[in-house]
């Protein structure tokens, strides 16, 4: 751990970050081809051209990271802990994939020893991909959620997660009751919310599997513990949406099932939203909640094309999620590329620049989770960072060595970068991967 009086370190690197939102600010990307970041006690104290930072801090020891790219740590706003071992169930639509791939594996999380192994695999995968903060869909079993928080604490990951609750239409062993959902949620919140870097997220799986009683229990937790986050799924798949319509005949639409319970707000992150109505988009914007876009999952499960243009026009905040294991891996570089592809291919898609992709993979997540100390390299923020340094002889290394600008190198990182290119990862100034 970094002590409160540690000496500063000056990191010298080609770095890029988006201190602003490129969807609303034209010059949002800050790219330094020879940059300096002065870090003390895990916090960025100064940032800019290396020569300027060096002149102001002539005695700080320098860590030379030139040759690669230094980016803010990635922020994954939708990813399922119990699904890491079932990545790759391709070719099934959502409800069949849940029945055949995801839910049998999620039932195994009742076994605490099994859950501990999954927590290690999962968090290792996240950090190995350069993810430093994640909003994680937890397990239906409280013991497995404890195991997750323990592993997050051990590794240093910034984790936001909670008990997943449902009381119908899954499998019996994954069902709970409203009272138990409240009681177990309360105990987990008291143990983990605000402990170290951990935060709690109230998590009904989706309205299809959650009665009004369960949603009310979730709302009670949100009321009793202000500051906990909320996450669920919405509008992912047309068959799912029709089923929710049938289950909630009094609701105006899918979002309304959450809205009526008081679950839509500034701290709500709803995954997918591939098929929203205009009313839902305007309500999401008014409540400043986030849509977590998961492009690899939407492609793998054939869920559809995310209407990014309609979200932006309505003023809905959008962030990025890998949605492992419906998604195909932990890399937010890959998610950025897939988002780019899908917007390119769909009528009325939004052309996404490297700055947009970087923003979606970093600051957008910090904004979604209301974590203003993460997401960029602005002074005052935590030093959460990923150093991409491809092995000599790889195509990405060739592009990096010949790139005309840092922005071109960033585009190549999204186009062809993988976790194999992640050389080092820091969270709050602590090295959590590499050396
Ligand atoms: O992509 C998804 N993955 C899931 O595990 C899930 N559960 C409900 N809805 C879901 N969508
Ligand atoms: Zn999901």
């Amino acid at each position: 751990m970094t002590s409160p009086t540690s000496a500063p370190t000056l990191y010298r690197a080609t770095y890029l970050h988006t201190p602003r939102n490129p969807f609303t600010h034209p010059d949002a990307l800050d790219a330094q081809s020879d940059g300096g970041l002065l870090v003390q006690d895990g916090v960025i104290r100064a940032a800019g051209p290396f020569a300027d930072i060096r002149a102001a801090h002539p005695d700080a020891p320098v860590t030379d990271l030139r040759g690669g790219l230094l980016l803010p740590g990635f922020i994954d706003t939708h990813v399922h802990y119990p699904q890491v071992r079932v990545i790759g169930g391709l070719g099934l639509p959502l409800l069949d994939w849940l029945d055949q791939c995801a839910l049998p594996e999620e039932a195994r999380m009742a076994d605490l020893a099994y859950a501990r192994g999954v927590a290690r695999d999962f968090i290792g995968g996240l950090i190995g991909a350069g993810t430093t903060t994640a909003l994680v869909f937890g397990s239906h079993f409280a013991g497995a959620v404890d195991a997750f928080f323990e592993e997050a604490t051990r590794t240093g990951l910034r984790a936001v997660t909670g008990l997943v609750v449902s009381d119908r239409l899954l499998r019996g062993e994954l069902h709970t009751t409203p009272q138990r959902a409240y009681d177990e949620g309360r105990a987990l919140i008291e143990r983990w919310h605000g402990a170290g870097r951990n935060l709690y997220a109230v998590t009904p799986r989706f309205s299809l599997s959650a009665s009004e009683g369960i949603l009310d229990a979730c709302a009670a937790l949100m009321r009793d513990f202000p500051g906990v986050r909320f996450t669920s799924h919405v509008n992912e798949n047309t068959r799912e949406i029709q089923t929710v319509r049938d289950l909630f005949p009094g609701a105006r639409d899918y979002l309304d099932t959450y809205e009526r319970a008081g679950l839509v707000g500034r701290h709500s992150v709803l995954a997918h939203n591939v098929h929203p109505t205009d009313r839902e988009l305007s309500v999401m914007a008014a409540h400043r909640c986030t849509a977590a876009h998961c492009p690899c999952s939407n492609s793998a499960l054939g869920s559809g094309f995310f209407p990014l243009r309609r979200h932006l026009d309505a003023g809905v905040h959008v962030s990025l999620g890998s949605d492992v294991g419906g998604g195909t891996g932990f890399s937010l570089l890959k998610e950025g590329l897939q988002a780019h592809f899908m917007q390119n291919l769909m009528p009325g898609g939004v052309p996404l620049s490297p700055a947009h992709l970087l923003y979606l993979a970093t600051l957008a997540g910090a904004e979604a989770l209301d974590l203003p100390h993460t997401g960029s390299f602005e002074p005052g923020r935590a030093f959460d960072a990923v150093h991409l340094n491809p092995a000599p002889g790889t195509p990405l290394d060739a592009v990096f060595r010949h790139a005309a600008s840092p922005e071109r190198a960033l585009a190549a990182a999204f186009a062809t970068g993988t976790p194999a290119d992640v050389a080092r990862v820091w969270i709050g100034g602590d090295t959590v991967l590499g050396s």
Side-chain angles (χ1 to χ4, degrees), residues 168-251:
R168 64 181 175 199
L169 295 176
L170 298 180
R171 300 158 66 94
E173 59 279 41
L174 300 181
H175 293 162
T176 188
T177 62
Q179 187 63 50
R180 189 164 145 219
Y182 180 87
D183 292 344
E184 290 184 345
R186 179 181 188 103
L188 285 164
I189 291 168
E190 287 172 346
R191 224 169 6 261
W192 296 109
H193 183 64
R197 294 174 179 151
N198 300 312
L199 293 173
Y200 194 84
V202 171
T203 311
R205 186 163 197 126
F206 57 164
S207 291
L208 186 148
S209 69
S211 70
E212 284 181 10
I214 285 283
L215 297 176
D216 288 344
C218 290
L221 286 171
M222 301 291 294
R223 261 196 317 275
D224 293 349
F225 297 95
V228 300
R229 307 309 196 251
F230 174 81
T231 193
S232 194
H233 296 94
V234 74
N235 289 322
E236 178 175 3
N237 166 288
T238 49
R239 214 179 112 209
E240 168 211 19
I241 295 167
Q242 183 56 50
T243 308
V244 169
R245 207 175 276 141
D246 296 342
L247 288 166
F248 291 85

Side-chain angles (χ1 to χ4, degrees), residues 78 80 233 271-272 323:
H78 186 71
H80 292 254
H233 296 94
H272 301 302
D323 197 23

